[in-house]
Amino acid sequence: MRGNDFLEKMGLIDPAYVEAADTATNKKKNSWMQWGAIAACFAVIVVAATMLFPHDEPELPSDLPMLSISENSSGGMGYEGYMAYDISELVNANPWNEESEISALPVYQNLLHYNEYHIASGSDFDKMREFILDVAGRLGLDPSNLTVTDNAPSEEEKQQITKEYEAGGSVVPDGYFDPTALIIEADGIKIEVDQTMTATIHFDPVVSLPEEYNFTHYASYVDTAAVADYLKSEYRELIGMDNPQVNIHGGDYNIYSQQSFSIEFFDAADHDIEQIINYNFNRVAFYCDDNGKLFLARVFQPDLSKKMGDYPIISSGKAKELLLNGNYLSTVPYEFPGAEFIKKVELIYRTGGYEAYYMPYYRFYVELPEAEHENGLKDYGAFYVPAVEGTYISNMPTWDGSFN
């Protein structure tokens, strides 16, 4: 119906109907205004109740001990950075990814403590002895016929060291002469287990791999993967895992544009958390010498007997917010360049000997524009944000203009 037709038809309507319709409309308006006011009041009550009595936020466990962040390092030179033409070249087999649905992870206390002279205490030599004999057995040695020694200095060496300290006007620090490792030597193999429960295996003579394998420092990823398959088969007993998963990690370059990869194994597990623990702690690594021969292997088995509990962890998105806020640890000698330079994130445990607690962190790989090279190589610095919910951290790190 056109506009003019509508107006003409309106003139034919009885005014009584118009009046009645207007009265009904006013009643409806009044009714809706009354109900609208009641609804508004009810909404205010609901909002207030939600604010006073939140029910969507999960309650955090209250019986977990507080944790402290270790900001000191073992005194390593340089900073943790990785050179690559693109972030995609930096690879590993980390079982965690940003789609992982993990709400809590275990935290362990490091049982070793270091004094100002970097002398460790808290070692469990019984566990170290059990571990070194286990590794020897995996290598085909008979543990019952082996002699376990330590690296404590001889009496003659102690006297000489004491004289040197006295000549300098000081005394030998407490614990300086205590052993720090157990040793087994047999059949061209030397096994040394240190206080961190790392077994280092020296092969003498070094072991040559079949000619078809390229086991060198700068072998390609494909060649390294082939060597890993060979080692997995040849040293299955030493690896000692139900389901060994190869971790070919690295892909960064040196200043001569030579790319390198490393070989490790960890036990793949059905449970995500167990697999993350194995990836970070329980590992076996193999190393080549300058001539492409196997000369060294390491079995990592840190003491995780002191579990602090299963701690709620934050998301990688929340960790990014903390990173932007300056709540991070890093040895990078440049200021954080900004969110647009974040190129990759992964969840890992910091397992260094000087950590007070073995706890999960998000490691962000951040492109450092100040360090880009003329040949196109880029530097990616490592920035660490605690993955544990901040409620349980007594000293959340804050960047203060210095470098850790």
Side-chain angles (χ1 to χ4, degrees):
M1 183 179 294
R2 293 180 303 221
N4 290 336
D5 293 339
F6 178 74
L7 292 175
E8 291 175 0
K9 299 298 183 183
M10 284 290 290
L12 300 176
I13 298 177
D14 190 329
Y17 290 115
V18 176
E19 182 177 333
D22 185 56
T23 301
T25 302
N26 287 334
K27 288 181 179 179
K28 289 182 179 180
K29 286 182 179 179
N30 291 336
S31 175
W32 278 110
M33 289 177 65
Q34 292 171 359
W35 281 108
I38 294 172
C41 291
F42 182 74
V44 171
I45 293 172
V46 170
V47 172
T50 302
M51 295 175 64
L52 292 174
F53 308 104
H55 55 278
D56 292 333
E57 292 292 331
E59 292 187 5
L60 296 175
S62 59
D63 58 344
L64 292 173
M66 294 293 290
L67 305 172
S68 60
I69 301 295
S70 301
E71 299 192 30
N72 63 314
S73 69
S74 59
M77 299 296 291
Y79 68 92
E80 186 181 355
Y82 306 88
M83 288 194 297
Y85 293 100
D86 186 80
I87 192 64
S88 62
E89 295 182 288
L90 303 179
V91 298
N92 58 46
N94 192 333
W96 178 89
N97 59 66
E98 293 194 77
E99 285 70 47
S100 299
E101 297 181 355
I102 298 175
S103 59
L105 283 171
V107 173
Y108 308 93
Q109 183 177 352
N110 183 1
L111 300 180
L112 294 180
H113 306 280
Y114 293 84
N115 62 20
E116 66 272 24
Y117 302 102
H118 304 288
I119 297 173
S121 59
S123 306
D124 190 329
F125 278 84
D126 289 336
K127 288 184 178 179
M128 290 168 61
R129 182 181 178 82
E130 181 181 353
F131 182 35
I132 196 171
L133 291 174
D134 174 63
V135 172
R138 295 192 212 175
L139 288 165
L141 303 175
D142 183 0
S144 63
N145 292 327
L146 298 174
T147 300
V148 179
T149 61
D150 61 46
N151 65 342
S154 65
E155 287 302 321
E156 183 178 346
E157 290 171 329
K158 290 179 182 179
Q159 292 175 9
Q160 180 61 34
I161 293 170
T162 301
K163 289 180 180 179
E164 292 174 358
Y165 268 87
E166 291 175 346
S170 60
V171 297
V172 179
D174 291 339
Y176 190 89
F177 295 140
D178 294 342
T180 60
L182 297 180
I183 300 167
I184 287 177
E185 295 186 72
D187 298 346
I189 295 174
K190 177 181 178 181
I191 310 170
E192 185 173 356
V193 169
D194 65 20
Q195 294 164 294
T196 68
M197 295 290 284
T198 297
T200 300
I201 303 160
H202 302 265
F203 297 97
D204 186 16
V206 293
V207 180
S208 297
L209 273 62
E211 291 184 2
E212 63 264 31
Y213 295 104
N214 179 20
F215 188 30
T216 57
H217 294 304
Y218 307 113
S220 69
Y221 183 94
V222 173
D223 286 345
T224 304
V227 171
D229 284 341
Y230 171 81
L231 295 173
K232 179 180 177 180
S233 174
E234 191 72 11
Y235 291 93
R236 176 171 290 274
E237 294 299 321
L238 173 60
I239 295 171
M241 300 172 184
D242 294 331
N243 185 16
Q245 170 70 47
V246 64
N247 175 25
I248 299 174
H249 61 95
D252 53 325
Y253 294 78
N254 61 19
I255 59 174
Y256 305 107
S257 296
Q258 296 169 310
Q259 190 179 28
S260 61
F261 298 92
S262 299
I263 298 173
E264 289 187 353
F265 295 90
F266 66 97
D267 204 354
D270 294 332
H271 196 282
D272 289 344
I273 294 178
E274 183 181 357
Q275 190 158 249
I276 288 173
I277 297 302
N278 288 340
Y279 170 81
N280 284 277
F281 294 102
N282 304 314
R283 304 170 285 127
V284 177
F286 294 87
Y287 308 89
C288 66
D289 66 7
D290 292 338
N291 298 313
K293 301 180 186 299
L294 174 64
F295 86 108
L296 195 73
R298 285 197 173 101
V299 181
F300 301 89
Q301 189 176 294
D303 190 346
L304 304 181
S305 60
K306 182 63 175 178
K307 181 178 176 180
M308 304 300 294
D310 294 314
Y311 284 76
I313 62 171
I314 61 176
S315 66
S316 59
K318 175 62 176 176
K320 181 179 178 181
E321 293 177 10
L322 292 174
L323 174 64
L324 298 178
N325 192 49
N327 301 121
Y328 61 76
L329 296 173
S330 182
T331 54
V332 173
Y334 306 107
E335 291 188 20
F336 176 73
E340 66 271 25
F341 292 96
I342 300 174
K343 300 303 178 180
K344 181 181 177 182
V345 61
E346 62 179 346
L347 185 143
I348 59 97
Y349 277 78
R350 285 166 64 101
T351 60
Y354 285 77
E355 299 292 326
Y357 300 98
Y358 299 135
M359 55 189 291
Y361 287 79
Y362 286 104
R363 176 163 59 191
F364 289 88
Y365 294 80
V366 179
E367 184 180 334
L368 306 174
E370 303 96 329
E372 185 168 349
H373 301 260
E374 292 182 358
N375 60 359
L377 276 175
K378 300 175 182 177
D379 263 27
Y380 297 94
F383 291 75
Y384 292 88
V385 175
V388 171
E389 171 65 48
T391 304
Y392 302 101
I393 298 176
S394 62
N395 60 335
M396 178 65 74
T398 302
W399 185 70
D400 60 0
S402 62
F403 301 96
N404 308 118

